[in-house]
């Protein structure tokens, strides 16, 4: 086994120790999604990833299409939670609930046994979260929009995402959607609905349980598109100036024509 292979095996064991990851080639793909993809499954990847660990979240399941998360899973209600409203029509499929429960039992049993075997034998792996904040729609003052906080390079998956406005905590944000990606790492999304103004200063704070440091990403308005009201005001001003110009021009023409007419007589 070469150096690169040894490192790969070591990282896999670290992942299993901290938060047992079962990334399955899932046969029970939601029926609606399967019907849409049945003719081109070879070109896309639908992943069904379940992990369990000792810290919160103790158990989590995410489903993604080409690494774009579609759903998380609420184990207390045995139902899917769509990451975006557009995914809601697919979230009602419950034909695979028993398979998910079987995955849950397997994950927790393996996590318990492997923790006993590996504890104290391998070092802890940590990633430094990277956060960025952007809007879902093009920025326009006075028009409702959504802020997205995207957090990457998460490992292990034990982070809390919170929002602040002018350094004051905001309580109306959505749940944090956590999902696994290739390379045995995790990413997270958090959403905040708001109506932008020119004085806005929002921040997204990523906190790691038991860590003294946090990752903070700020958002301030930049390059907004002109609002409809502003466009109407500018059009009104331009129209008014045009009318004034026509009146002044007509008056000047009449004024300068009078001496010419008198001289002719």
């Amino acid at each position: 086994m070469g150096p690169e292979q040894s490192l790969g095996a070591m990282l896999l064991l670290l992942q299993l120790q901290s938060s047992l990851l079962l990334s399955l080639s899932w046969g029970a793909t939601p029926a609606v999604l399967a019907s849409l993809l049945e003719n081109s499954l070879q070109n896309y990847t639908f992943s069904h990833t379940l992990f369990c660990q000792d810290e919160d979240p103790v158990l989590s399941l995410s489903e993604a299409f080409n690494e774009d998360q579609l759903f998380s899973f609420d184990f207390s209600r045995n139902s899917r939670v769509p990451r975006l409203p557009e995914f809601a029509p697919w979230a009602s499929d419950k034909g695979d609930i028993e398979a998910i429960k079987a995955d849950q039992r397997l994950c927790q049993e393996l996590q318990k046994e492997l923790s006993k075997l590996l504890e104290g034998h391998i070092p802890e792996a940590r990633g430094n979260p990277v956060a960025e904040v952007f809007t879902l729609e093009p920025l326009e003052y006075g028009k409702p929009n959504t802020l997205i906080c995207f957090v990457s390079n998460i490992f292990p998956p034990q982070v809390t995402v919170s929002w602040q406005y002018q350094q004051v905590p905001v309580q109306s944000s959505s749940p944090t959607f956590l999902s696994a990606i290739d390379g045995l790492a995790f990413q997270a999304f958090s959403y905040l609905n708001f109506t932008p103004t020119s004085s806005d200063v929002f921040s997204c704070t990523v906190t790691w349980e038991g860590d003294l440091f946090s990752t903070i990403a700020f958002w301030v308005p930049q390059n907004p598109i002109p609002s409809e009201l502003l466009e109407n005001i500018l059009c009104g001003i331009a129209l008014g100036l045009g009318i004034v110009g026509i009146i002044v021009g007509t008056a000047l023409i009449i004024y300068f024509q009078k001496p010419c007419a008198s001289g002719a007589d």
Side-chain angles (χ1 to χ4, degrees):
M1 180 179 293
E4 292 184 1
Q5 291 175 315
S6 298
L7 179 58
M10 184 177 178
L11 289 173
L12 176 60
L13 289 174
L14 289 171
Q15 179 74 34
L16 289 172
Q17 180 195 35
S18 297
S19 57
L20 178 64
L21 177 65
L22 299 179
S23 185
L24 309 175
S25 177
W26 190 32
T29 306
V32 177
L33 185 59
S35 65
L36 292 174
L37 303 177
E38 59 183 358
N39 296 324
S40 57
L41 280 176
Q42 70 277 10
N43 298 324
Y44 304 97
T45 302
F46 180 84
S47 62
H48 169 95
T49 305
L50 185 146
F51 72 86
C52 51
Q53 59 186 0
D54 292 330
E55 296 80 10
D56 286 333
V58 174
L59 187 67
S60 181
L61 167 65
S62 67
E63 294 167 339
F65 178 67
N66 277 5
E67 295 194 7
D68 186 12
Q69 186 185 13
L70 301 177
F71 316 109
S72 58
F73 194 82
D74 185 340
F75 285 91
S76 64
R77 298 182 179 181
N78 286 331
S79 62
R80 288 179 170 84
V81 179
R83 182 172 66 86
L84 294 174
E86 300 92 287
F87 306 149
W90 296 344
S92 59
D93 185 6
K94 294 190 177 183
D96 59 332
I97 297 299
E98 292 304 318
I100 291 176
K101 289 182 177 179
D103 290 346
Q104 173 186 346
R105 291 191 294 269
L106 175 61
C107 185
Q108 291 175 326
E109 289 172 4
L110 287 175
Q111 191 264 341
K112 181 179 179 180
E113 295 302 321
L114 288 172
S115 293
K116 295 177 182 178
L117 292 173
L118 300 176
E119 186 176 1
H121 293 284
I122 54 177
E124 180 183 7
R126 297 285 298 270
N128 294 319
V130 178
E132 57 180 314
V133 180
F134 48 90
T135 58
L136 180 63
E137 303 291 343
L139 177 61
E140 184 175 343
Y141 293 142
K143 183 177 180 179
N145 207 326
T146 300
L147 282 176
I148 302 173
C149 183
F150 171 63
V151 189
S152 58
N153 197 38
I154 301 173
F155 186 85
Q158 300 165 12
V159 297
T160 300
V161 180
S162 59
W163 290 90
Q164 295 80 35
Y165 175 71
Q166 307 283 16
Q167 300 183 345
V168 178
V170 177
Q171 305 297 332
S172 58
S173 60
S174 72
T176 300
F177 293 89
L178 187 69
S179 63
I181 59 175
D182 287 346
L184 300 181
F186 291 83
Q187 62 185 16
F189 290 90
S190 182
Y191 300 86
L192 178 66
N193 295 325
F194 79 122
T195 300
T197 65
S198 59
S199 61
D200 284 341
V201 179
F202 285 92
S203 58
C204 170
T205 302
V206 183
T207 305
W208 212 317
E209 184 176 345
D211 205 335
L212 299 177
F213 302 97
S214 298
T215 299
I216 303 177
F218 289 91
W219 181 89
V220 294
Q222 293 181 348
N223 303 322
I225 63 175
S227 66
E228 185 176 349
L229 176 60
L230 179 59
E231 290 177 350
N232 292 337
I233 292 174
L234 293 176
C235 287
I237 293 174
L239 179 60
L241 290 175
I243 294 173
V244 171
I246 292 173
I247 295 173
V248 172
T250 303
L252 290 173
I253 291 173
I254 295 173
Y255 177 78
F256 285 110
Q257 281 182 342
K258 286 182 177 180
C260 295
S262 301
D265 290 341

